[in-house]
Structures are given as C-alpha cells and as structure tokens.
Amino acid sequence: MQPQTSKAQEALIQRNTHRYVQNVLHTIALFLVCFQEDSPQLHHQHTSPRERRAIRDNIYKNKRCRMETCFDFSRCQSGFRVYIYPPQRGDEISETYQKILTSIEGSRFHTTDPSKACLFVLAVDTLDRDQLSAQYVQNVRSRIQSLPTWGDGRNHLIFNLYSGTWPDYTEDLGFEVGQAMLAKASADVVNFRPNFDISIPLFSKDHPLKGGGIGYLTLNDVPPSRKYLLVFKGKRYLTGIGSETRNALYHIHNGDDIILLTTCKHGKDWEKHKDSRCDRDNEEYSKFDYQELLHNSSFCLVPRGRRLGSFRFLEALQAACIPVILSNGWELPFSEVIDWRKAAIIGDERLLLQVPSITRSVGRDRILALRQQTQFLWDAYFSSVAKIVLTTLEVIQDRVDSLVSRNRLLWNSLPGGLYAFPQYSTDPAQFPFYYAVLGKSPTQQFTAVIHTVTPLQSQISPVVKLIIGVAKSKFCAQIVVLWNCDKPLPPRNKWPSTSVPLTVIEGQTKTMSSRFFPHDVIVTDAVLSLDEDSVLSTNEVDFAFIVWQSFPERIVGYPARSHYWDGSRSRWGYTSKWTNDYSMVLTGAAFYHRYYHYLFTHHVPPSLLTTVDRMANCEDILMNFLVSAVTKQPPIKVTQKKQYKETMMSQGSKASRWADPDHFAQRQTCMNAFSHWLGFMPLVHSQMRLDPVLFRDQVSILRKKYRDIERL
C-alpha cells in the first residue's frame, strides 16, 4: 500500500514542476532567438568557416610565434628600450594613437636611438582597421614593409582597437603582422598567441592621456547596499554578428532589481530591420539614466558587441560595478598578469538564463571584495591611456627578462605592477606595501642619510651635532653623509667619532636629486633623511622611528607643509603656514622606506630630475608626490616641532635654501609641474598628528618615555 502524499508535499511538487517547466520554456525561447526572422544567419550570407580560416591564416601566418621563437633577445642587452619610427610624409595619426605614442615618449623606456632599441613601435596608425571607418589608413602593408628594420615584424609591437568590418567583423587587419606582437582589443583566444600578444581593453577616443577619472567606490561597508542587482543599457543589434546575446536579454529583465535595457534605434537603416519588440524596448530604454544605473548596481552585464570587447567593461570597472562578462572566446585585458576572478564574474553566453541565480548567490563579503578589486585595477592599469600603454610595456619587459619579473601578488595587489619594480627585488617581502599581507615587519634599525652642502667648519657645526645626536639612538644602524659640497671632502679625523659606522659618500654630480640615489651601502629598510641643519634630539628620532614601523609605506616625520587650489590663478599653491591640516612632510627630517630611493631614481622622468637639479629645490616635494601617488595616502606628522623652520633660517648660511628669496616661488612652480607629470594631484590632506602617550599630560616627567621632546 502506497503511503499517502501530504498536502505540503503536493504543493512542493507542484512548485518544482512549475519552476522546471518555466526553465524549459525560457531555454526554448532563448534557443529560438537565434532562428527568428531578424536573425543575421537568415538575413546575411556570412563567410563560411573555411573562408574565415583563410583570412585568419593569411593575417596570422606566424600563429605559433612565442617569445622564444619570434623575438630577438640580443637586441635587449643594453636594456629594455622602445623606439618609435619617425612619421612618414602624409601619415595621418588619430588623436587616440597620438596619445599612445605620447605615453611611450614620456616613459622611462623611450629611446631616440634605434640601435639601442629592444622594441619598435610604428608611426603608422593601425588602431582602426575597419575599412568602413573614416580613421582607416590605406596602404599600411607597403608602408610597414618599407621600414628598414621591419624584418617580418620581429621585435615590433602593433597596437589595434578595431579589426574587421560589417557584417562579420573578423580579425582581418588588412596586412600581415608577421612576427610582430599585437597589443589588441577584443582579442579572440583562437587567434591570440599566449605570452606573445597582449590583450588590451577597448577604450574610447575620450579616454584621458594621463591621470584619469577616479573610481566611484566611496564606502567600504558591509553589506555593500545598492539599489539594483544587475543592469545593462546598450544597443541591440538586429543584423550582423553580436546580436544573439543582446537580443535575448529581455528574458531575464524583471523591471525590479534586474534592469537590462536595449534599443534598436541606432544606425541609418534600423527601421528597415525593426522587429516586434523594438518600439517597446525603445520606450523602456528612455526611462532610465545610464549613469544612475551604473552607480547604483552591484553587477553590470558586459555582453559582447559587434566585437568581443565593449566600452561597458571599463565603465563598469570605474563605477565599482562588478562586471558580469558574457563574451565567449574573449581574451580578457592583461589576463597574463591580472587575476580577473578577483574582480569579475565570467559567464557563458549560452547560459544567459543562469546569470540571475549566479549573481544572487554571491555573498555580501565577496561582493565588497570584488568591488574593491575593480577600483584597484581601474586605478592601477586602466584609468588612462598612459597606464594602459605602460602596463603593456611592463608586461613585455617582464618577458624579456623573465628571471627578474613580477609575480602575481605584485600585479594584483596595491599599489600594482607599475609601482613595484622587479629590478629592485622579485621578493614581495622587500617592498613596504606587502608587509601586512605577508605577515612581515620591517627591520628594527634605520640608516640616517644626511645631505650636506656646506663646508665642515668646526666640531660645533650643526651637522656634527646632528651626527652625534642621531648616533645615540638605539635603533641607528649606521650614518651616511652625502657630501654634495663644492669644497673638498674633509679628512676622516675632522668627523666626530660615533658608536655606529659613519660613511661619507662624495657625490659624483653633486645634484639635489642625488640625495635620493639608492646607494648599496643602505641596507636597512628604514631611511632617516636629514638636512645638515636639522635639529633633532635622540628622543625625537626614536619616537618617529617607532611610529614609522607601524606605517612603513608612508613618509613619517616632523616638518609639515600643505597644498591648496588657487582658484584665482587656476593653479596649485604651496604653503608653509600653520594650519589645521597638512599634505606633505619634508624630507629634511623624515623616515621612509629605502625602496622609494629606487623608485625616485628610476621612475621619475629625467626631465623632472633635471628641473629639480637646475633649481636646487623641490626634491622633497617630488618625493612626497611620488609616495602619495603610490600609496593614495597622506604622510604622517609626528610631535609638533614649531622651531624647525625658524632654526634652519637662523643658521645664517648663504648656501641655505631658506635664505633664497626665490625659494618659495620655485616651490609653487614645482607643485604644478609635478601634478602635470602625473595628470592629477596625488597629495592627500590629513589632520592627524601622532604624539607620545602622556605628551603634555600633567604627570611626573619620570613616567614619560620621551622626556626630551616636551622640553623642545
């Protein structure tokens, strides 16, 4: 005898059956989309698979190219240098391609000497290879093959954003790339040559050269509440390739928390091909503002367009809207080094109906982590043309010198691969940014580096007093004096005797920027940078070092300055006035990590270093710009030391920068030159000052650890 089914069980069976039938119907509907009247398969005679293979084989004759087989490493023995061919008569370069060339010219890799070049970049604009485009350049094949060092493309890099044309949009470039590397948007995994070509994002002609817009993640809260779950707003293609997925989006649009809007109203002949849904779609499309959707949704759908890539990808990254990618076969941008699983949901076009359940299943903590990673990746690699180009070049450099290359941690963690140079170290534990991630701590001692520009007159000179005071610190490992004075180096018996090693290095160039040169003698993580006329007690040195150990990626010190926007002159201003905030800590008395010496020397453009040396000024401001650009954080000021500036100005030395009447005006100029270099203002204001516990408290001086500080 069969057991009777309860009413609850019957209801459950009914609901499950109903849900199953719905899923089947949705799947059938999605399948039928590909065969409805408007389907491009019926309207257009596409090229056959054989014809598509012939096109691919013609363009990619060197399909099996890898760095080992199609790249001449012997060209790179003098370093990784990039040469841009001079433009030929009649060359028309688009604004976007000019941005790419300008980015290379402003990089540390650029050379004007082809004999020193490891990599060659064309002056011929190859970005838009759509024959119907106004930007299409004719006769590229003959122009390229006439280049003296073309050599079938070996050691050449070709940039491309658009390939092929309507209706199939194949990857036909109109010329043979040979053994050249392709930095290509919308790269198809079928044609992509792994660890040889580079997939770059599709970006618009309005994408900024430098700087770029900031990300829009303003709250790191859990749960990260947003109004919508999943959104999309874009074109629906009625004909040609790329129409299938977008034509099916209405199946999962619910008008509530999933808003997927498409419009047929684009192109000249859209009304000829309109289907029964076009009018309704167009009406719904106009009801929603795209930016409002973008900034108020947890997930953003990024379906393929005519090509595999889409502008929606970068738009979603900037908006901290987690990309849900539906573009089968797309080699994601910089996938060789970027772990996209930490920032995006990679779906399958054939499983569109599963997207709602997939996005709803993502936990709130993971949503926050994914959104945070979108902001990091946007800012590190995608917010400007310069960053996209530099990332491309850095990836190639890592391949050229594979023994000295970044690992995945450096590429996928703050501050990113563009600020973590493997030539300094391939071990993440040697960088100040990764101590917390790796559970490491900086070394427990520091090296004092004293910049000296005036003669050593006697044992009562300020620099002698400074050396004696710093040497008494229990954390001091050694003292290095940089002798940048025009007078001869004093004999060793003229220097004070100290309990720690004292090394005097005579500058070869005696320039201002040389104070931040990464000398091999500096082996501790912490550097205490000092001007020769700084006045610091041993207590002040010890306390500042203890603070720095908690913030090893930042500048920690005493003399603070600030910046402001001068609206009347439309420029940045510099002030030394005592205010309630600051954005710089001068390196005349400050701790920072020794890696910043390497970064300052090798990352800052030579033109800026030349400017600093010519004025003999602003090197401390430039170091603050660099560190804040890397960390996105302000420096840290420790206990107030009001007499710092007054003490230095009272030294009365003719060589003192503080006595120069042009000193302040030059610093104003520097502020704007440095922000122009970066394309944005990196300095961040802070109102935090760290004092010792019991500082100025009404308790016995015997109970205080840093007693001398209060007497200053």
Side-chain angles (χ1 to χ4, degrees), residues 201 214-217 226 290 294 300 302 311-323 325 333 338 340 343-344 370-379 381-383:
I214 61 171
Y216 294 110
L217 181 61
R226 281 190 165 185
Y290 176 59
L294 199 63
C300 283
V302 183
F311 292 135
R312 297 293 179 266
F313 182 67
L314 289 189
E315 291 167 351
L317 279 185
Q318 183 180 13
C321 189
I322 302 163
I325 300 168
I338 293 178
W340 284 108
L370 288 166
R371 290 177 63 197
Q372 288 172 328
Q373 192 70 358
T374 64
Q375 299 301 271
F376 158 64
L377 294 176
W378 164 259
D379 182 72
Y381 307 120
F382 299 109
S383 63

Side-chain angles (χ1 to χ4, degrees), residues 25 116 193 246 265 267 315 336 476 519 618 679:
L25 291 175
K116 296 180 179 179
R193 296 169 291 183
R246 295 194 181 198
K265 201 173 181 179
E315 291 167 351
E336 182 178 336
C476 183
H519 294 285
C618 301

